[in-house]
Amino acid sequence: MTVLANAHPLNSLQAGHLLRPVRANSRRSSSWDRTGANHDWVSVGAGETVTLLEHDGPGCVTHFYAAMIMPRITDYRDAIVRCYWEGSSVPSVEVPLGDFFGLSHARIREFSSQMMAVNPGYGPSHGLNCYFPMPFSQHALITLENRGEHTLGGPHGALWFHVDYDAYAEPLPDDTLHFHAQFRQELTTEAIGDEPNQTLHDAVNLTGAENYVVLEAEGRGHMVGLHLQVNNKAGGWYGEGDDMVFIDGATWPPSIHGTGTEEIFGGGACPNVEYSSAYTGFHMIESPDFAGLTGMYRWYVHDPLRFEQNIRWTIEHGHANNFANGYASVGYWYQDPIATRQPELPSRTDLLPPLDPRHEDLYERMIATARRARENGDSLGLLRFDELGLAFYRGDWDVAERLLETFA
């Protein structure tokens, strides 16, 4: 008796796909030094654009990695990732580098999740990782533009990258969906109603018209991820805002209606401690009283938000939109056909993250301190520098300043 291959118990194993041959070749596009030396990075000067991957024929990106050493904090917003599939002139992905990988407000938070990870290195360097598969049938092009005034990567002027992918011997199935990611931002939302910036329960929102919009897409597919950032300028608990998702032309009520911001990201009531898990996280909380900067992620992998015609993912900024705060976001989704338009990316000035007035001075002092320790062969000082780098890139300005004084 013949056992059907796809019915065999091997295929029910968690990694069962590794037990059968696949007609594919594994490839990598990376920043390795073509001279054979060890300068395994690329320099991306002000106003320059570099190609991270270009490939003809069917395939799929399986892993995307990037890292810098002692970059300017603004590098994470000045560097723009764009992905073009099948020769389209419209990028299916157009997102600042840090935001794409889950860095909220260009601040470093190390976290590990199913689809993104930010891993530690030496204090002022971190590895950014993305595991969303990105298929293409004929052509793939991934670029990185530097909209800043300096070469990316601080004093070293270096960016390391890997784009791992499979090249297939056979065409993709005709119904394959393409990966997309969309960045949006509203520097200050408009507070609606007579009680701005207060935690409300009785105000009414029965239209969703004033909600912050994370994603609008036309086509057939499913939303698979969300990275949301809030600059809580108003202070207090801002998270009574519900998610409202309008699918396939729905008006009111929305197709999906939530019960508050923290529920979207798997938290208990009013999270004030950072956490991250496989699919949900409040991975950035600047203050336990909710003021200042926060960041959170939700990967809809087990429960993708499916649409046949269009999707509009929105969230209230405070209950009934009564908070005036800063919002930014990345929506991740797959669709067919490839998107023919994306929202216009904000200007470089509007994309600059919120920064302490001391940050430029602290950065220059940090660079000088590292250079001096290296020139003096001060290995102990370089070890202590690890703590300084961690504080600076987290945005812990007072801690960074105190640590710098210990090097004087």
Side-chain angles (χ1 to χ4, degrees):
M1 182 173 110
T2 302
V3 177
L4 294 176
N6 60 6
H8 196 281
L10 280 176
N11 293 296
S12 67
L13 298 178
Q14 183 174 9
H17 67 286
L18 300 178
L19 307 181
R20 297 179 62 81
V22 174
R23 294 193 63 198
N25 289 317
S26 296
R27 306 280 182 87
R28 171 180 292 163
S29 178
S30 76
S31 54
W32 71 279
D33 187 343
R34 269 60 173 174
T35 72
N38 193 35
H39 302 281
D40 290 323
W41 59 81
V42 293
S43 293
V44 190
E48 293 182 352
T49 298
V50 297
T51 296
L52 306 184
L53 168 69
E54 187 162 19
H55 182 84
D56 289 313
C60 183
V61 173
T62 54
H63 174 227
F64 180 15
Y65 162 88
M68 296 180 282
I69 297 176
M70 286 194 288
R72 289 173 170 80
I73 289 178
T74 51
D75 284 357
Y76 290 116
R77 281 279 174 88
D78 283 334
I80 308 299
V81 175
R82 294 185 177 90
C83 301
Y84 303 84
W85 312 127
E86 321 307 359
S88 173
S89 61
V90 176
S92 295
V93 174
E94 186 173 43
V95 182
L97 178 73
D99 300 82
F100 178 82
F101 286 101
L103 297 187
S104 298
H105 311 284
R107 305 294 202 276
I108 293 291
R109 291 297 189 273
E110 296 167 8
F111 71 95
S112 180
S113 76
Q114 187 73 12
M115 309 313 295
M116 298 283 184
V118 177
N119 295 326
Y122 179 55
S125 179
H126 295 81
L128 313 180
N129 296 267
C130 169
Y131 295 96
F132 277 112
M134 308 179 197
F136 49 92
S137 62
Q138 298 177 7
H139 187 75
L141 174 65
I142 301 178
T143 67
L144 187 77
E145 179 192 8
N146 177 12
R147 300 205 300 178
E149 299 172 347
H150 307 274
T151 299
L152 295 178
H156 201 53
L159 172 81
W160 288 259
F161 74 87
H162 290 179
V163 181
D164 296 301
Y165 66 104
D166 283 339
Y168 297 137
E170 300 169 349
L172 300 186
D174 291 340
D175 58 355
T176 300
L177 305 178
H178 286 82
F179 178 75
H180 292 71
Q182 182 178 108
F183 178 86
R184 287 176 178 250
Q185 176 179 270
E186 194 168 344
L187 293 176
T188 305
T189 56
E190 181 182 354
I192 306 299
D194 299 328
E195 298 179 85
N197 305 323
Q198 302 294 320
T199 301
L200 301 179
H201 296 284
D202 295 329
V204 174
N205 179 5
L206 290 176
T207 68
E210 304 298 331
N211 294 0
Y212 173 77
V213 178
V214 168
L215 173 63
E216 287 184 296
E218 300 282 339
R220 176 175 61 95
H222 36 254
M223 184 176 177
V224 293
L226 165 66
H227 171 206
L228 183 67
Q229 307 165 52
V230 179
N231 182 359
N232 187 15
K233 305 173 183 179
W237 175 241
Y238 61 92
E240 292 304 315
D242 298 349
D243 54 323
M244 302 180 189
V245 188
F246 300 87
I247 295 175
D248 293 342
T251 53
W252 188 267
S255 309
I256 297 171
H257 198 305
T259 57
T261 302
E262 66 269 56
E263 286 92 328
I264 304 166
F265 305 98
C270 310
N272 63 357
V273 176
E274 295 176 358
Y275 66 86
S276 61
S277 61
Y279 300 105
T280 56
F282 253 84
H283 60 311
M284 181 182 182
I285 299 175
E286 192 173 50
S287 174
D289 66 359
F290 316 120
L293 308 180
T294 61
M296 51 217 92
Y297 64 85
R298 170 71 152 94
W299 309 133
Y300 300 101
V301 174
H302 288 288
D303 53 352
L305 307 184
R306 306 187 191 281
F307 54 96
E308 288 293 323
Q309 301 169 23
N310 51 60
I311 186 170
R312 187 170 184 265
W313 198 106
T314 76
I315 185 171
E316 295 177 298
H317 42 93
H319 177 64
N321 295 307
N322 74 314
F323 267 75
N325 280 328
Y327 275 69
S329 60
V330 183
Y332 308 81
W333 79 103
Y334 291 89
Q335 77 163 60
D336 177 65
I338 293 171
T340 56
R341 58 187 176 89
Q342 289 270 35
E344 185 177 355
L345 202 65
S347 69
R348 178 182 182 254
T349 299
D350 285 344
L351 265 180
L352 290 175
L355 292 168
D356 188 280
R358 297 170 289 174
H359 93 277
E360 190 65 36
D361 176 64
L362 291 173
Y363 179 72
E364 295 300 334
R365 289 167 61 192
M366 183 176 69
I367 298 301
T369 298
R371 185 176 294 116
R372 188 165 58 249
R374 186 170 59 250
E375 290 172 351
N376 295 338
D378 183 3
S379 57
L380 182 59
L382 287 171
L383 286 174
R384 289 171 55 229
F385 186 78
D386 187 66
E387 184 181 3
L388 170 61
L390 287 171
F392 179 81
Y393 288 100
R394 282 183 60 87
D396 294 336
W397 313 112
D398 291 340
V399 174
E401 189 162 40
R402 176 176 55 79
L403 291 170
L404 276 167
E405 291 171 356
T406 69
F407 285 90

